[in-house]
Amino acid sequence: KLFTSGQKTIKTFLRQTKFKSIPLRFSSALLSLPPSPDPETATMATPTPLVFAYYVTGHGFGHATRVVEVARHLIDAGHLVHVVTAAPDYVFTSEIQSPNLFLRRVLLDCGAVQSDALTVDRLASLEKYSQTAVIPRESILASEVVWLKSIKADLVVSDVVPIACRAAADAGIRSVCITNFSWDFIYADYVMAAGHHHRSIILQIAEDYSHCEFLIRLPGFCPMPAFRDVVDVPLVVRRLHKSREEVRKELGVGDDVKLLIFNFGGQPAGWTLKEEYLPTGWKCLVCGASDDQELPPNFIKLPKEAYTPDVIAASDCMLGKIGYGTSSEAMAYKLPFIFVRRDYFNEEPFLRNIIEHYKGGVEMIRRDLLSGCWQPYIEHAISLKPCYNRDINGGEVAARILQDTAHGNTHTKYKACGARRLRDAIVLGYQLRGISERNANVPDWYVHAPFPSQEHEQSNEEIFPFISCSCRHIPDFEVLHGDLQGLSDTASFLKALGELSAIDFERDNKDQLRERLAAARLFNWEEEIFVARAPGRLDVMGGIADYSGSLVLQMPIKEACHAAVQKNHPSKQKLWKHAQARHHSDSDKQTPILEIVSFGADLSNRGPTFDMDISDFMDGEQPISYEAARNYFSRDTSQRWAAYVAGAILVLMTELGVRFEDSISIVISSAVPEGKGVSSSAAVEVENHIVGAPCGVMDQMASACGENNKLLAMVCQPAEVLGLVDIPSHIKFWGIDSGLRHSVGGSDYGSVRIGTFMGRKMMKSMACNKVKENNSDEMGRNSTELLEAEASLAYLCNLPPHRYEGGYANKLPERITGEEFLTKYASHDDPVTVVNKDLTYAVKAPTAHPVYENSRVKAFKSLLTAAASDEQLSALGELMYQCHYSYSACGLGSVGTDRLVELVQMMRLSGTLYGAKITGGGSGGTVCVMGEKSVRSSEQIREIQQRYKSATGFMPYVFEGSSPGAGKFGYLKIRRRSSPKADLAAASAVLNGVHV
């Protein structure tokens, strides 16, 4: 009788009888039972209405629309909901008409500031958040506490305003968050571009979230390490009000017309929509168009208050940007979704993965969106069969959990932070940067734990199963030139190419990754293909001193990048469908085309394919400038990676006068992990004119000129190779990944470089003034010559440490503002960085580092040739430690790399590891470790891995081993065998000793 009387009776029974002491796990189970089909008993109503304070982030309407669905269920249950929002009232009142809904127009955060519909301004986002929530923090907290008490809130709900959680704690009220992402995760990547001085924002947000009792987590979620526990719910989706037929009738659209909904939020200024963008028989419904915008006859302007779920369900396809609202409703109502990536929108990869998993998404390249090349994408989209088959009642489920929590029950386990929580989602490279300062309010478990990353970076051998083979016989291919040199990763890469050539598009299409299908369609498999290989590098000594002219010592690592290249006459070039539509609108025109596929693109949130007319690199009869090329590739961040590959073509055209009459197809597959400080970019290219990253030349030279198990010694003035240094047989180098993402394009690296060049300019000015102020009689001739040389100093590393200490160290400022420097010195004379007058730059430490580093590297190189002894190893290790702490003084250290160096030092007390240092551009990445080449050292490396994992939840990858550089490897020329019989004949020939 109890069960059949409905859920309402169960609740009343439990709360109003002596059974109040019923075990919590039992009562919670009863309360979570599916509602009775009887509408009268299917409500969540309780005798006493609860009061919910529901905070909504100021980022877009997607959060507000899902709040509507949760709030609707709470209000239907008889509760009062106070919504704190900056969204327009109609977003809520169009769905909820109830006196129990209260709207309070307040903005307590800003989300991501967008410069246009497709681009997030990272620096502006951080600055706006500071203005909105950091500077007025104390007054916000005081006013929110007063307000929460005034409405007698039973529970604070946040989607996902950080300060709301802290205000609730100060008011003595429990709080819960509902979201698929958190702002500490989103902003962590922005800090990489904006600089370490913004890190305190992330720490404060994390501290605010830590006051939240638990997280109600939505599908398509990002990693959210600040929350102590989570409860997963289905998609939160707004319900439909009208049928497909009713909506189409109101729009005046017949059943024979195909509808595309154009959903980019507010219509961006400057976007022109033309009639020819749509296929015949299609009309487009435009969301958010301005009142004065003129549209073609086949485009229909939707009113501002149009109810989007109804329109989505009445359409045949959607074109828009990925956000939670559009993604969830497209999946729920099984609408094919053509999406365009947004720049720096870090929630996007996780939503995109779930859309594509359920066969609902087609990616459109941004330039095709803007140029109107829509037809091939629409045709592809309507061929999809979206199959999201999970529940879509997340609003109802979340409301029940909130009600239960407000009644005093709990859904949390109060587990401490650990590896389980850190590994609850795949992280695509957005790790929290190292934190130099400590904030007592930030939990230790958050500060010391990097965001989760893949525990193991896959090598080519793991991605493509290793195949044992002759160095000149590869199944599927005949090697016409070159030698595999026994490299298993190259054999695996060729094996993978063979698998691509065998893809059956009719049978395998549904189960293949997009990049594999694109690559399989790229080559003419019966024609010759060229294969090259280049490794990453481990920075043993030298590091950031390379751009100051230092001696550097670099070791090529085992992990490498492979490129497969084919040229074809334009008439024979295979083109992807969207490329056909773009390039071959004129069937008589035969223009050389460049097409590139990048394997593993989604791991870094970039588009997997790129194509362009090679003629785009020409301005009349001459190649375009490098600056024009940088602008060309910067138009779409998701395809900016192509500059690393395609840029080499323009360099050949500009520097060597090469002209390309054939089309070019390229597949890139790299096992060199990005953001680890082991030169993933240098393994792809050796040009920097078009990419524009402010790095030196050592990475590219090591990848190109290095040799197996040797250190490349080079003086970076600009690139004088001194030769190869043998690694003594008793010494070994390892690299250990800290899990913290490194970027030479980040603000910290660039700021340190700017500070270094500022210091050089200041010292040159000091030397010049000394020469002018003093007459030659008072000064020795040699002193005058020294000052004159220093007044024209081209490289800082040419200044000896004693001259730096004696003449300049005490005269350089610790820091200087960009405005002050530019006023006094006009320019810092660095062609690849720009001084920002509004920023403050460290000068003294960045200037001193290359001066001393050059001396350390020279000493290190000499010690490698000394007799083997404990003193030799100790001296080498000491130089590495000095380098590491000099990085930290410059502001390029990190918690993760410091922890690894400390673990190596701890091992030294009873072990065989002698030194360690941060590598490359610093601020995370990889630590280079030096020790004896012994079993004991290998055991200690494994112990460091385990200790680091225990402390952070992240198992660091170890770079171990070496391989030849690109020059030593050369290239392979391969051709696919014509038939399986040919493979059998070749194998037989090998068995019979015949040279293949």
Side-chain angles (χ1 to χ4, degrees):
K1 181 176 181 181
L2 176 65
F3 278 85
T4 58
S5 63
Q7 193 174 34
K8 179 178 178 180
T9 305
I10 295 173
K11 294 178 185 291
T12 304
F13 179 82
L14 289 174
R15 302 200 186 285
Q16 296 183 352
T17 70
K18 63 182 180 180
F19 288 97
K20 284 182 180 179
S21 61
I22 193 168
L24 174 63
R25 62 182 180 275
F26 182 45
S27 62
S28 296
L30 291 174
L31 293 175
S32 63
L33 287 172
S36 165
D38 182 355
E40 183 65 25
T41 62
T43 68
M44 300 187 301
T46 57
T48 304
L50 298 168
V51 178
F52 294 88
Y54 210 140
Y55 288 81
V56 189
T57 186
H59 179 75
F61 286 177
H63 297 264
T65 56
R66 69 191 186 198
V67 166
V68 167
E69 186 64 14
V70 179
R72 180 176 68 83
H73 284 283
L74 289 172
I75 290 172
D76 287 349
H79 304 306
L80 283 65
V81 179
H82 294 256
V83 178
V84 183
T85 179
D89 289 359
Y90 73 81
V91 174
F92 301 91
T93 57
S94 62
E95 177 69 3
I96 304 174
Q97 296 86 36
S98 170
N100 286 359
L101 173 67
F102 304 88
L103 300 178
R104 177 171 170 245
R105 297 296 300 277
V106 177
L107 179 66
L108 297 180
D109 69 356
C110 62
V113 176
Q114 296 184 213
S115 54
D116 58 49
L118 296 175
T119 305
V120 171
D121 188 325
R122 293 172 290 180
L123 179 58
S125 298
L126 294 172
E127 291 176 343
K128 182 70 178 294
Y129 185 85
S130 180
Q131 295 166 4
T132 305
V134 177
I135 295 174
R137 178 178 175 81
E138 295 306 318
S139 63
I140 289 174
L141 285 172
S143 62
E144 292 308 303
V145 168
V146 171
W147 178 74
L148 288 171
K149 290 181 177 179
S150 72
I151 66 170
K152 299 181 180 180
D154 294 293
L155 185 69
V156 171
V157 187
S158 180
D159 185 356
V160 61
V161 181
I163 202 169
C165 302
R166 177 57 186 269
D170 289 353
I173 303 170
R174 300 166 74 186
S175 64
V176 175
C177 285
I178 303 180
T179 186
N180 63 306
F181 72 82
S182 58
W183 288 114
D184 54 339
F185 171 76
I186 300 297
Y187 286 161
D189 186 52
Y190 298 176
V191 168
M192 293 182 65
H196 67 276
H197 49 286
H198 289 287
R199 290 177 185 161
S200 59
I201 290 177
I202 298 175
L203 300 181
Q204 188 62 71
I205 291 174
E207 193 272 333
D208 285 345
Y209 284 146
S210 71
H211 292 285
C212 168
E213 187 164 307
F214 65 95
L215 167 69
I216 297 177
R217 190 169 60 180
L218 304 178
F221 57 84
C222 304
M224 293 175 274
F227 297 101
R228 288 173 291 177
D229 213 340
V230 299
V231 177
D232 288 303
V233 299
L235 281 179
V236 175
V237 180
R238 290 179 291 176
R239 61 181 175 175
L240 298 180
H241 290 167
K242 299 176 182 177
S243 67
R244 174 184 174 93
E245 292 73 20
E246 289 174 317
V247 174
R248 283 177 166 257
K249 183 177 180 180
E250 290 179 359
L251 294 171
V253 176
D255 292 338
D256 59 331
V257 175
K258 295 289 188 181
L259 280 182
L260 172 73
I261 179 170
F262 188 80
N263 193 359
F264 283 89
Q267 177 66 17
W271 282 17
T272 301
L273 301 175
K274 298 181 180 180
E275 186 174 358
E276 59 268 24
Y277 288 4
L278 298 176
T280 302
W282 280 77
K283 288 191 175 182
C284 181
L285 307 175
V286 181
C287 299
S290 59
D291 294 335
D292 58 351
Q293 184 177 6
E294 294 294 331
L295 295 178
N298 53 348
F299 285 74
I300 301 172
K301 187 184 303 183
L302 290 174
K304 179 177 64 175
E305 63 278 5
Y307 191 61
T308 308
D310 285 349
V311 179
I312 285 178
S315 300
D316 299 284
C317 186
M318 178 161 62
L319 170 57
K321 58 189 180 183
I322 290 180
Y324 184 86
T326 51
S327 301
S328 61
E329 288 168 358
M331 288 190 291
Y333 302 121
K334 294 181 171 53
L335 184 73
F337 186 6
I338 303 170
F339 59 86
V340 182
R341 296 190 192 220
R342 286 192 271 183
D343 297 344
Y344 314 119
F345 193 71
N346 299 345
E347 172 194 19
E348 183 176 286
F350 304 91
L351 292 173
R352 188 180 70 245
N353 286 344
I354 193 172
I355 291 169
E356 293 183 337
H357 177 76
Y358 289 104
K359 314 299 182 186
V362 175
E363 180 175 355
M364 176 184 281
I365 298 171
R366 184 180 303 184
R367 67 178 183 274
D368 287 342
L369 168 72
L370 301 178
S371 65
C373 184
W374 296 6
Q375 182 164 337
Y377 298 97
I378 294 174
E379 291 174 350
H380 184 187
I382 61 175
S383 71
L384 299 177
K385 298 187 185 305
C387 58
Y388 190 79
N389 56 1
R390 302 294 184 90
D391 291 336
I392 58 173
N393 63 334
E396 178 185 3
V397 174
R400 292 181 184 219
I401 295 171
L402 293 176
Q403 176 185 266
D404 200 28
T405 303
H407 275 302
N409 295 321
T410 180
H411 285 265
T412 65
K413 304 180 181 69
Y414 297 103
K415 289 184 178 179
C417 167
R420 179 202 62 79
R421 184 186 51 73
L422 287 176
R423 291 196 302 268
D424 65 357
I426 298 174
V427 177
L428 304 185
Y430 307 123
Q431 288 91 0
L432 177 63
R433 295 296 295 277
I435 301 165
S436 57
E437 66 273 17
R438 280 300 306 271
N439 184 325
N441 293 325
V442 179
D444 286 346
W445 55 262
Y446 186 93
V447 173
H448 289 298
F451 279 131
S453 181
Q454 289 180 301
E455 283 202 359
H456 183 68
E457 296 285 349
Q458 288 183 303
S459 65
N460 275 357
E461 291 96 320
E462 294 165 308
I463 298 172
F464 310 121
F466 170 66
I467 178 168
S468 178
C469 57
S470 164
C471 287
R472 296 195 59 83
H473 171 66
I474 305 296
D476 299 322
F477 289 104
E478 179 183 5
V479 178
L480 305 175
H481 172 85
D483 189 343
L484 272 67
Q485 301 182 28
L487 294 167
S488 61
D489 60 343
T490 302
S492 296
F493 177 70
L494 296 183
K495 172 66 163 52
L497 289 181
E499 291 173 353
L500 292 177
S501 70
I503 287 179
D504 183 327
F505 290 98
E506 296 298 325
R507 185 191 67 210
D508 300 337
N509 188 39
K510 294 181 180 180
D511 301 321
Q512 295 289 343
L513 295 174
R514 281 186 299 151
E515 59 195 34
R516 287 177 57 81
L517 292 172
R521 297 179 186 273
L522 192 62
F523 291 132
N524 290 313
W525 293 103
E526 307 308 320
E527 303 295 330
E528 294 176 350
I529 298 173
F530 295 82
V531 175
R533 177 193 184 277
R537 68 92 187 95
L538 183 64
D539 168 34
V540 175
M541 288 292 287
I544 59 169
D546 64 338
Y547 54 70
S548 295
S550 179
L551 171 67
V552 297
L553 298 173
Q554 308 295 307
M555 184 183 81
I557 59 177
K558 178 182 64 176
E559 291 76 9
C561 172
H562 285 83
V565 183
Q566 185 180 71
K567 63 177 184 176
N568 286 293
H569 188 273
S571 63
K572 296 182 179 180
Q573 179 76 353
K574 294 183 176 181
L575 296 177
W576 301 307
K577 288 184 178 180
H578 65 271
Q580 290 174 5
R582 186 186 314 120
H583 299 296
H584 283 183
S585 55
D586 181 357
S587 58
D588 295 329
K589 184 180 179 183
Q590 292 188 346
T591 303
I593 306 297
L594 171 65
E595 294 182 294
I596 308 170
V597 175
S598 173
F599 282 170
D602 276 347
L603 293 176
S604 298
N605 193 27
R606 59 173 183 261
T609 65
F610 174 83
D611 63 280
M612 64 176 290
D613 283 358
I614 296 179
S615 60
D616 289 349
F617 279 148
M618 297 296 294
D619 182 6
E621 298 297 320
Q622 297 298 321
I624 62 175
S625 67
Y626 292 142
E627 181 179 2
R630 283 194 292 271
N631 293 334
Y632 179 93
F633 288 106
S634 66
R635 295 179 300 182
D636 184 350
T637 300
S638 71
Q639 295 207 312
R640 193 175 296 171
W641 62 267
Y644 286 89
V645 183
I649 292 175
L650 179 58
V651 171
L652 291 173
M653 295 169 68
T654 302
E655 307 298 334
L656 299 182
V658 178
R659 295 296 180 265
F660 294 89
E661 297 180 357
D662 288 327
S663 292
I664 303 173
S665 302
I666 303 176
V667 168
I668 299 291
S669 176
S670 183
V672 185
E674 298 179 34
K676 307 300 185 186
V678 289
S679 299
S680 59
S681 59
V684 177
E685 48 77 30
V686 294
E687 60 83 25
N688 195 38
H689 298 290
I690 298 166
V691 174
C695 62
V697 297
M698 72 173 191
D699 300 350
Q700 290 84 355
M701 294 297 290
S703 184
C705 303
E707 291 191 18
N708 189 26
N709 290 317
K710 297 180 186 294
L711 301 180
L712 180 73
M714 182 177 68
V715 176
C716 303
Q717 300 189 16
E720 179 188 353
V721 176
L722 299 184
L724 296 164
V725 179
D726 289 329
I727 299 174
S729 58
H730 64 289
I731 291 177
K732 186 171 181 177
F733 296 99
W734 296 263
I736 305 180
D737 170 29
S738 68
L740 300 178
R741 188 172 176 82
H742 145 86
S743 171
V744 296
S747 175
D748 295 346
Y749 177 90
S751 295
V752 170
R753 175 166 177 149
I754 289 171
T756 303
F757 278 81
M758 284 178 166
R760 189 191 68 163
K761 185 65 174 279
M762 292 177 181
M763 292 194 298
K764 290 172 67 175
S765 178
M766 294 177 199
C768 187
N769 290 336
K770 285 182 181 180
V771 172
K772 293 178 181 178
E773 292 171 2
N774 296 279
N775 59 62
S776 58
D777 292 337
E778 296 174 350
M779 301 172 59
R781 182 174 180 181
N782 291 338
S783 296
T784 303
E785 290 177 353
L786 282 173
L787 287 173
E788 289 175 344
E790 290 162 5
S792 59
L793 189 67
Y795 294 97
L796 261 180
C797 290
N798 290 339
L799 183 70
H802 72 274
R803 290 293 298 172
Y804 171 77
E805 286 290 344
Y808 306 102
N810 294 330
K811 298 175 183 178
L812 288 174
E814 293 287 343
R815 309 179 73 83
I816 192 171
T817 66
E819 184 175 20
E820 182 183 355
F821 177 85
L822 292 174
T823 300
K824 188 171 183 179
Y825 298 100
S827 171
H828 67 320
D829 300 333
D830 180 16
V832 300
T833 57
V834 177
V835 176
N836 185 332
K837 66 182 181 63
D838 297 325
L839 296 183
T840 298
Y841 297 91
V843 173
K844 190 170 185 179
T847 303
H849 175 80
V851 173
Y852 291 103
E853 181 70 0
N854 188 44
S855 294
R856 285 191 288 263
V857 182
K858 289 179 178 178
F860 194 95
K861 180 174 179 288
S862 298
L863 279 168
L864 286 174
T865 62
S869 65
D870 188 73
E871 289 76 14
Q872 177 210 31
L873 292 169
S874 297
L876 289 168
E878 176 62 27
L879 292 171
M880 296 179 75
Y881 289 134
Q882 289 178 16
C883 173
H884 176 79
Y885 292 112
S886 184
Y887 263 74
S888 296
C890 292
L892 294 176
S894 77
V895 168
T897 50
D898 285 347
R899 181 186 291 273
L900 286 171
V901 170
E902 290 169 4
L903 287 172
V904 173
Q905 291 173 344
M906 292 167 59
M907 293 292 174
R908 178 68 192 99
L909 298 176
S910 60
T912 53
L913 302 179
Y914 285 82
K917 61 177 280 290
I918 196 170
T919 63
S923 297
T926 296
V927 165
C928 176
V929 179
M930 184 273 300
E932 287 184 6
K933 189 175 183 179
S934 65
V935 173
R936 176 61 178 147
S937 294
S938 297
E939 292 173 346
Q940 288 185 312
I941 292 292
R942 288 194 292 272
E943 185 175 348
I944 289 172
Q945 282 182 285
Q946 293 299 327
R947 288 192 182 187
Y948 193 80
K949 179 184 177 182
S950 297
T952 67
F954 174 82
M955 172 62 82
Y957 180 81
V958 174
F959 298 94
E960 183 174 7
S962 183
S963 66
K968 193 71 174 178
F969 178 83
Y971 70 91
L972 303 177
K973 183 164 66 174
I974 62 175
R975 183 170 56 205
R976 186 184 180 189
R977 298 182 183 279
S978 58
S979 68
K981 290 183 178 180
D983 265 352
L984 183 61
S988 177
V990 171
L991 291 173
N992 288 294
V994 178
H995 179 71
V996 181

